Amino acid sequence: MADAASRLVSVAEQLLGAPLPVRVRAWDGSQAGPPGAPVIVVRNRRALRRMLFKPGELGLARAWVAGDLDIEGDLYTTLGAMAGLLWEHDDEGRGRSLADTVRDPAARAAVRDLIRLVGPPLPPAPPREEVRRRRHLHTRRTDKRAISHHYDVGNDFYSLVLGPSMVYSCAYWEAPETDGSLETAQRDKLELVCGKLGLMPGQRLLDVGCGWGSMAVHAAREHGVSVVGVTLSQEQAAFARKRVADEGLTDRVEIRVQDYRDVRDGPYDAISSIGMAEHVGAERYLDYARDLYGLLKPGGRLLNHQIARRPQQDETAYEVDAFIDSYVFPDGELAPLGTTVTMLERAGFEVRDVESLREHYARTLRAWVANLEGDWARATRLAGFGRARVWRLYMAASALAFERNQIGVNQVLAVRTPETGTSGLPARTRTWNG
């Protein structure tokens, strides 16, 4: 009988309908696949059971998080090699559909061989880091639970990954081809937001989803505004409040554990929403936009910084990514940029500027992965083995997705323009280079 690796490669190629672009090293020490290709390490039969009972991305994710499946060598190279099989299928002949697999006698035989190789077909329990997938309700209770899952991992862990800035959104390099530090780029991103909002001393800013307080502190310290920051994370709020006190800004910055839907002390001169709107959900997005519109004074500005996905021909067929929903952002949803702009306009806003920062986010994610890998032992102590592996895979795969234009991130500047039509913005808001 052939060794385990050869059998695995044969089964995979039959099921995928394409050559496997990676080598496989199995638990028995055998290897098979293209020489010199990236190596996938299958540490035990349990990895196969996970993939057999949950075919596709979720089964692979479970095997990765549990440590049953690993990658030897550069993570980006391996994910890039596998992307065409796992995440980039289309209707133009790449890969094999389930119907084709069922009809193909060779593919059916490959499945039977996989079952024999797996052994007793008992489904392993999912890793404890997995959140049970459910219908996305986006109530106050479910949103708070989802935010806690993602952000209450531990401030020390996030400090390791994000660096001293503690900014968990894409940085902004004035010259993306240069070697500027992540810290400088995050400071420049915060300043970019403040500039677009036109912040001036004495104004009131609402920072929705304020995280660890970076935007609130920067805006108060550098622009003299009074800031209310709201978050649903107890750990973020505790960190942000200490930071505000250390900066001597308690008279100008208030950090609340509060749902943005419960903010009632408007009007504000400006609102920043940086990396928060992805948690709102498609069904409630118009309500979100209307709530923020109602909290602004006439002439007030909103800066909405949000990840976007590519539009689909049939938008009703959109499904949330199984790995992200189960392990990273429970209940998170991405919308196309055009949908976001439309919802803001329907709420009453005048959209005045849209800027894509897609390449900036790819670079930011690679910096975060480098931070994580550079202190891996401490990361696993702080967050746990499985959770650290979740973050490593999610950030590396996301970096590739931004680089390949599968997802993007945009800053949308919108104004609650009064009936007079006077927006208060300069005739030309940006200067283009090249």
Side-chain angles (χ1 to χ4, degrees):
M1 182 175 289
D3 57 56
S6 297
R7 293 171 70 185
L8 286 174
V9 170
S10 176
V11 168
E13 293 184 341
Q14 286 288 349
L15 296 178
L16 294 169
L20 198 65
V22 296
R23 284 183 67 77
V24 173
R25 189 170 79 238
W27 59 88
D28 63 354
S30 60
Q31 293 194 45
V39 177
I40 299 289
V41 181
V42 183
R43 298 197 180 280
N44 49 55
R45 288 183 171 86
R46 187 170 56 248
L48 305 183
R49 295 191 190 105
R50 294 189 187 280
M51 290 183 277
L52 188 62
F53 281 92
K54 278 292 181 183
E57 185 176 326
L58 187 56
L60 285 167
R62 287 177 173 178
W64 168 267
V65 174
D68 301 327
L69 194 71
D70 217 332
I71 287 172
E72 188 177 275
D74 183 69
L75 181 60
Y76 297 103
T77 301
T78 307
L79 291 176
M82 293 295 292
L85 297 175
L86 295 176
W87 302 297
E88 297 174 9
H89 281 196
D90 56 21
D91 297 324
E92 298 177 1
R94 289 186 295 178
R96 176 199 296 272
S97 71
L98 180 60
D100 290 340
T101 300
V102 171
R103 287 193 294 265
D104 187 347
R108 293 201 301 271
V111 172
R112 290 193 295 271
D113 189 36
L114 179 62
I115 293 172
R116 287 193 294 270
L117 185 60
V118 163
L122 298 175
R128 63 183 178 85
E129 293 80 9
E130 183 172 315
V131 174
R132 184 171 62 87
R133 301 182 74 195
R134 57 195 179 277
R135 190 167 67 89
H136 297 175
L137 299 176
H138 291 288
T139 64
R140 285 167 172 78
R141 182 174 63 84
T142 59
D143 282 354
K144 188 174 181 65
R145 183 172 57 192
I147 292 297
S148 178
H149 171 84
H150 187 79
Y151 294 103
D152 290 341
V153 179
N155 292 332
D156 289 342
F157 175 75
Y158 274 106
S159 179
L160 183 155
V161 174
L162 304 179
S165 70
M166 290 298 280
V167 179
Y168 193 23
S169 56
C170 88
Y172 179 77
W173 280 266
E174 289 286 353
E177 71 280 0
T178 65
D179 295 327
S181 72
L182 176 63
E183 294 309 305
T184 299
Q186 289 292 16
R187 183 199 65 208
D188 288 346
K189 190 275 298 296
L190 297 176
E191 188 58 27
L192 178 69
V193 172
C194 291
K196 290 181 178 182
L197 290 174
L199 298 182
M200 294 183 292
Q203 290 185 329
R204 297 184 74 212
L205 168 69
L206 174 64
D207 188 26
V208 179
C210 66
W212 292 272
S214 301
M215 176 63 188
V217 167
H218 182 90
R221 185 184 61 216
E222 304 298 329
H223 295 271
V225 299
S226 296
V227 187
V228 171
V230 296
T231 176
L232 294 178
S233 167
Q234 294 283 353
E235 291 196 22
Q236 285 186 335
F239 185 99
R241 286 167 180 158
K242 183 179 185 304
R243 194 174 185 182
V244 169
D246 290 345
E247 291 275 354
L249 294 170
T250 53
D251 61 329
R252 277 186 277 162
V253 179
E254 178 187 0
I255 302 296
R256 304 173 184 169
V257 178
Q258 185 179 36
D259 193 295
Y260 72 93
R261 289 167 284 196
D262 296 327
V263 176
R264 296 288 185 268
D265 60 346
Y268 288 87
D269 297 281
I271 298 176
S272 54
S273 178
I274 306 173
M276 176 271 174
E278 297 88 343
H279 298 286
V280 171
E283 291 184 4
R284 297 191 181 274
Y285 201 94
L286 183 56
D287 293 333
Y288 157 82
R290 285 171 172 161
D291 284 343
L292 300 191
Y293 183 86
L295 286 167
L296 280 171
K297 72 174 188 180
R301 303 181 191 179
L302 165 69
L303 192 287
N304 191 78
H305 177 118
Q306 182 178 342
I307 297 172
R309 62 176 172 84
R310 303 291 297 171
Q312 299 183 177
Q313 291 296 324
D314 178 10
E315 279 294 315
T316 64
Y318 168 65
E319 292 184 0
V320 176
D321 180 275
F323 169 60
I324 298 294
D325 194 37
S326 298
Y327 286 97
V328 186
F329 288 109
D331 292 353
E333 297 179 58
L334 300 183
L337 171 62
T339 301
T340 296
V341 170
T342 296
M343 290 297 178
L344 291 173
E345 290 183 328
R346 285 181 60 190
F349 282 106
E350 179 188 8
V351 172
R352 294 298 301 252
D353 185 77
V354 177
E355 183 174 7
S356 171
L357 303 181
R358 178 173 63 83
E359 292 88 349
H360 294 267
Y361 217 157
R363 183 170 177 180
T364 304
L365 284 155
R366 283 183 177 263
W368 290 343
V369 172
N371 287 344
L372 180 65
E373 293 178 339
D375 205 349
W376 182 251
R378 181 165 177 261
T380 58
R381 287 198 305 272
L382 291 171
F385 174 80
R387 185 63 64 88
R389 287 175 68 82
V390 167
W391 256 244
R392 183 174 178 237
L393 178 62
Y394 135 68
M395 292 191 298
S398 296
L400 292 176
F402 279 107
E403 288 169 357
R404 297 177 179 210
N405 192 28
Q406 292 160 359
I407 53 176
V409 63
N410 305 281
Q411 288 190 348
V412 179
L413 178 64
V415 182
R416 179 173 175 167
T417 304
E419 293 182 1
T420 61
T422 304
S423 69
L425 272 74
R428 187 174 186 186
T429 56
R430 281 192 278 143
T431 301
W432 293 99
N433 296 317

